[in-house]
Amino acid sequence: KILGNGGSAAGITGIKNGSIYGDVCYKPVDEGAKALDTLYTQITGKTTASHKVLTYNTPAITLANVDQCVAQW
């Protein structure tokens, strides 16, 4: 079985056609937006991060839930 890592359009297509078993729904656009929003709120003093590492949900995807991951690259 082949697993991808990144949630690319090619990976999602591969899951749908059966050439890849699974992948991770990585969203670089969302990650960048979160980084810039966090930076802005820190610089402007609107909020202070409660911890040093901020993450977002990157679920495993398979044929059962592939439609829940929209490729961003």
Side-chain angles (χ1 to χ4, degrees):
K1 294 182 179 179
I2 298 174
L3 295 172
N5 185 14
S8 68
I12 290 173
T13 298
I15 291 170
K16 289 180 179 180
N17 70 25
S19 63
I20 297 176
Y21 176 74
D23 206 339
V24 175
C25 191
Y26 173 67
K27 297 180 177 179
V29 174
D30 291 356
E31 183 179 36
K34 184 174 190 73
L36 289 177
D37 183 55
T38 301
L39 179 63
Y40 175 78
T41 59
Q42 293 289 311
I43 289 172
T44 59
K46 292 183 179 184
T47 188
T48 301
S50 59
H51 46 285
K52 293 181 181 180
V53 177
L54 301 175
T55 62
Y56 64 100
N57 190 23
T58 55
I61 53 173
T62 64
L63 188 57
N65 67 342
V66 70
D67 290 331
Q68 296 175 8
C69 182
V70 177
Q72 293 186 342
W73 65 283

